[in-house]
Amino acid sequence: MKDLTVYPDQDRLVRGAAEFLTRQAMAAVEAHGRFTLALAGGGTPRPVYELLATPPFAERIPWTKVHIFFGDERCVAPTDQESNYRMAREALLDHVPVPPANIHRIAGEADPAQAALAYEAELRRVFPTGTFPDLDVICLGLGRNGHTASLFPGSSSLREGDRWVVPLYVEVLGAWRVTFTAPLVNAARQVVFLVSGADKAAVLAAVLEGPYQPEVLPAQLIQPQPGRVQWLVDAAAAAGLPPQAEGEHS
Ligand code: 6PG
């Protein structure tokens, strides 16, 4: 049984996700003194980040103990409209007291291979154990083509077993990306997918209920230990799932 929560609409999904992240932040700081969070890009999480920057969520999160990472980045300047860092800054980071040194961005403006190496080095500095880091929460989206983070269908990055962060050229976008690898994501204490909208219904059903074909549906590579992945979706996105999987548990 998947850890799946179906919210009646996008607004309830956004509130549910904000509540989930707030609780994770409080629990992590209580348990080990900091909260390491990797953000997703794309449109779905933006209103969640905006909500986290406002009361009551903003007051409940111990921001000075939060470390922000990015699961992927577009290879553009941090000021570019396409930048995931820019989106997170505008929606959240400019409005809450996260220490600047705790904001770990991917250098989208740099050479992609260098940016990936530098980001892996930065992660190794913050997580010095040598093994894949156990971030407290990694947020992910789901693309209509089954990608997550920037793990795109057919990409050689899907078979990566050792690297934590890799560069890749995404043919369908004609653009470079830098992304967390699947083994890094799978080492997280908690992974949370945020999926909204009718245009995601078919791919969500294929990823969760269809045959395992990760070359086609890279999101299927995300399989942390049992209980460590949550799917927070709205009813429109859940429309293709079997009835027994539906129901609101928010
Ligand atoms: C990005 C992402 C990407 C995103 C999905 C879903 O940088 O674009 O991190 O993996 O999460 O494409 O995007 P939407 O939420 O916009 O549908």
Side-chain angles (χ1 to χ4, degrees):
M1 183 64 190
K2 306 279 183 225
D3 285 317
L4 173 75
T5 303
V6 181
Y7 296 92
D9 54 37
Q10 195 210 11
D11 188 54
R12 293 290 298 273
L13 164 62
V14 167
R15 294 197 164 272
E19 181 63 34
F20 178 84
L21 291 173
T22 301
R23 287 190 189 175
Q24 292 283 327
M26 293 167 68
V29 170
E30 171 97 18
H32 49 261
R34 69 179 184 180
F35 178 54
T36 50
L37 169 66
L39 300 178
T44 312
R46 185 179 183 121
V48 178
Y49 303 159
E50 289 170 344
L51 196 57
L52 289 175
T54 60
F57 301 101
E59 280 91 10
R60 289 166 61 201
I61 296 174
W63 293 108
T64 59
K65 301 197 170 67
V66 174
H67 282 258
I68 298 290
F69 296 87
F70 292 82
D72 71 327
E73 184 57 282
R74 293 98 183 266
C75 291
V76 295
T79 50
D80 195 287
Q81 289 279 3
E82 284 285 301
S83 164
N84 286 341
Y85 166 73
R86 175 177 169 166
M87 185 275 276
R89 193 168 57 70
E90 290 181 350
L92 174 63
L93 304 175
D94 278 353
H95 313 289
V96 293
V98 182
N102 290 8
I103 299 174
H104 310 272
R105 78 172 179 89
I106 298 172
E109 70 279 23
D111 168 73
Q114 291 302 321
L117 284 172
Y119 206 55
E120 185 164 323
E122 176 70 355
L123 280 160
R124 287 181 187 276
R125 189 181 66 75
V126 181
F127 295 88
T129 58
T131 55
F132 283 107
D134 57 345
L135 275 86
D136 290 305
V137 175
I138 296 181
C139 283
L140 294 174
L142 178 64
R144 284 196 301 276
N145 63 354
H147 81 264
T148 191
S150 283
L151 299 168
F152 278 80
S155 150
S156 59
S157 61
L158 303 182
R159 292 180 290 278
E160 183 58 54
D162 299 321
R163 294 281 304 272
W164 295 12
V165 183
V166 292
L168 76 158
Y169 184 74
V170 184
E171 296 283 348
V172 289
L173 301 175
W176 283 88
R177 297 273 184 105
V178 172
T179 185
F180 279 6
T181 60
L184 185 149
V185 176
N186 285 335
R189 290 170 184 262
Q190 182 70 59
V191 176
V192 60
F193 279 90
L194 306 178
V195 189
S196 170
D199 61 338
K200 300 287 176 67
V203 70
L204 182 64
V207 168
L208 292 182
E209 303 293 333
Y212 184 68
Q213 42 180 348
E215 288 287 326
V216 180
L217 298 168
Q220 291 182 329
L221 290 169
I222 306 311
Q223 298 196 17
Q225 287 172 28
R228 291 189 170 195
V229 60
Q230 288 279 339
W231 290 82
L232 306 184
V233 313
D234 63 15
L241 296 175
Q244 70 272 16
E246 294 188 31
E248 191 199 344
H249 320 287
S250 60

